[in-house]
Amino acid sequence: MAMKYVVIGAGPAGVRAVEALREHDPDGLITLVSGEPGEPYARMAIPYILNGSIDEAGALQRKTPLHYETLGIRYLNRKALRVQARPTGGTVELDDGSTLDYDRLLVATGSSPSLPPIPGTDLPGVVTCWTLEDARAIADKLKPGARVVMIGAGFVAGVCMKALVGTGVKLSVIAGRAGQILRTMMTPVGSRMLQRWLEGKGVEVITSGRTERIEPGPRLVMDTRTIDADLIILATGVHPNIAFLEGTGAKIDQGILIDDRMRTTVPCVYAAGDVAQGRDFSTGEWVVHALQPTATEHGRIAALNMVGKDVPYRGSLSMNVLDTVGLISHTFGEWKGREGGEVVELTDEARNLYTRLCFHGDRLVGAITIGQPRHVGALRGLIHSGRALGEWKAELMQNPHKVMEAFVGLTHA
């Protein structure tokens, strides 16, 4: 009898999962459920839609017409309201009143924007920067001279900024009381460099004051000033989409807890992507890595285990890549450093170059670079391999820019 697979969420994890399920189970009944209208698209493509680099069709994850139908995958634009789980399967209740039976369920529902705890977030002219619908609302306001205020200065804000600068809008970014942009992925030294870069591009970065409310207009009211705007963008972080799992017994921490086979604590239910709290390669701890490559690999590994193959997940390397209006930064692994380890930094503010290497013993465990894209592959390779650096550690402590030479030298040793 054919197995019934249901995958909730049509982001990178869900799409890769259904493809892998079909590859390894030609006869299985596979249903992919998307909570958004239209074909599955790549959320990271939204900035390119906003700046006109691509149209909405260019954001589709798979460009081949009838891709899912050709694979025999049923695709539904519905929201999951509730999951019921039994030892051998269960059901998913959808928002149109229908029910899907499953033998194996994959939850790959990703995240939604977390709104700041202030009045006025539901007013006209106030949007998030997360969906295609958001992109349309933002694009409608991107006219030269328009006043755009962005609340939040983390990764989501950084991605969105790239699309706004250069459109002629007057952009103000509210970093809040933290006083530092990108503080969850960058040291203060790196953040200051990126802030100066943004200010040089005409962005007003506000790092002091408390946001109190949004008034009609829209108008942003802080304890230190009031800012009139044509558009206010909320970019204050995200939270996992897991409400429909209430009552299943699935354990939740930062995300859905999974084991190294992508299984949740509920029989026959798996999780992947931004919603899953999986293994960190560097530390062995269980964390949420909101990265597209991680989501894609999660989906593939989950599918293999759902069809009965015993495939452990090695863990994902924490990595962020951000294009801050033309200045590229990367963070890898334990970029804050490890207790008992050593750290070396090299800063060239005039040229907007920054390199930070973090060692534990004679191994590289974390790194940050700004304006050094040629180092990226070497850094990732050295950290992910866990290779002993030997005499190269002293070289790198003296000159962090020798990362490529070290990688090549160790690879051919």
Side-chain angles (χ1 to χ4, degrees), residues 107-130:
V107 178
T109 44
S111 302
S112 292
S114 295
L115 302 183
I118 58 173
T121 57
D122 58 346
L123 288 170
V126 182
V127 299
T128 56
C129 186
W130 197 248

Side-chain angles (χ1 to χ4, degrees), residues 72-157:
I73 295 165
R74 182 186 181 197
Y75 179 61
L76 301 176
N77 295 108
R78 298 294 178 194
K79 290 185 179 180
L81 297 183
R82 186 183 179 199
V83 168
Q84 292 185 329
R86 300 183 297 272
T88 57
T91 59
V92 179
E93 297 177 16
L94 303 179
D95 61 353
D96 64 348
S98 63
T99 300
L100 300 173
D101 295 322
Y102 68 84
D103 297 304
R104 299 288 184 273
L105 172 68
L106 176 63
V107 178
T109 44
S111 302
S112 292
S114 295
L115 302 183
I118 58 173
T121 57
D122 58 346
L123 288 170
V126 182
V127 299
T128 56
C129 186
W130 197 248
T131 66
L132 279 178
E133 185 178 355
D134 292 336
R136 296 179 192 120
I138 294 171
D140 188 55
K141 298 288 187 179
L142 296 187
K143 298 176 174 60
R147 301 159 300 174
V148 179
V149 175
M150 184 178 297
I151 303 177
F155 184 78
V156 173

Side-chain angles (χ1 to χ4, degrees), residues 346 348 351 353-355 357 372 374-375 395-396 398-405:
L346 187 63
D348 184 342
R351 298 170 61 200
L353 301 177
Y354 174 60
T355 302
L357 304 181
Q372 296 281 8
R374 71 185 187 90
H375 289 172
E395 289 276 357
L396 291 173
Q398 288 294 317
N399 186 352
H401 285 173
K402 287 192 173 182
V403 168
M404 184 62 72
E405 290 90 332

Side-chain angles (χ1 to χ4, degrees), residues 41 55 68 82 111 121 303 317 325 329 347 360 373:
Y41 67 92
D55 58 17
Y68 305 98
R82 186 183 179 199
S111 302
T121 57
L317 177 65
V325 196
S329 59
T347 305
H360 189 256

Side-chain angles (χ1 to χ4, degrees), residues 291-310:
L291 307 170
Q292 184 163 321
T294 295
T296 302
E297 183 65 359
H298 272 193
R300 185 184 75 86
I301 296 293
L304 292 174
N305 284 288
M306 289 166 73
V307 301
K309 298 180 183 296
D310 186 32

Side-chain angles (χ1 to χ4, degrees), residues 176-347:
R177 287 176 291 180
Q180 177 188 334
I181 66 171
L182 302 167
R183 64 185 179 87
T184 61
M185 61 168 287
M186 189 61 61
T187 61
V189 172
S191 290
R192 285 194 296 270
M193 182 176 290
L194 291 169
Q195 180 176 334
R196 285 193 299 271
W197 175 267
L198 284 171
E199 290 168 343
K201 297 292 184 180
V203 178
E204 179 186 23
V205 181
I206 301 171
T207 57
S208 62
R210 183 181 70 254
T211 300
E212 296 187 338
R213 63 187 181 278
I214 300 172
E215 297 178 346
R219 178 185 300 112
L220 181 69
V221 178
M222 304 179 69
D223 60 346
T224 53
R225 61 190 293 189
T226 298
I227 307 174
D228 290 313
D230 297 294
L231 180 70
I232 295 178
I233 300 174
L234 308 176
T236 48
V238 296
H239 62 271
N241 296 319
I242 53 178
F244 59 88
L245 290 175
E246 185 176 343
T248 61
K251 288 188 177 178
I252 310 294
D253 185 24
Q254 300 168 354
I256 306 169
L257 290 174
I258 56 173
D259 65 13
D260 62 357
R261 267 68 176 177
M262 316 305 292
R263 294 175 298 216
T264 72
T265 54
V266 178
C268 305
V269 179
Y270 297 70
D274 295 8
V275 78
Q277 191 166 333
R279 187 187 295 276
D280 183 292
F281 170 81
S282 298
T283 65
E285 297 176 352
W286 299 89
V287 298
V288 173
H289 280 170
L291 307 170
Q292 184 163 321
T294 295
T296 302
E297 183 65 359
H298 272 193
R300 185 184 75 86
I301 296 293
L304 292 174
N305 284 288
M306 289 166 73
V307 301
K309 298 180 183 296
D310 186 32
V311 181
Y313 181 56
R314 186 182 178 198
S316 60
L317 177 65
S318 174
M319 183 178 81
N320 279 307
V321 182
L322 185 61
D323 181 348
T324 307
V325 196
L327 185 57
I328 310 296
S329 59
H330 296 80
T331 61
F332 299 91
E334 298 176 84
W335 58 268
K336 293 181 181 178
R338 187 184 294 183
E339 187 175 352
E342 297 169 276
V343 174
V344 61
E345 290 185 327
L346 187 63
T347 305

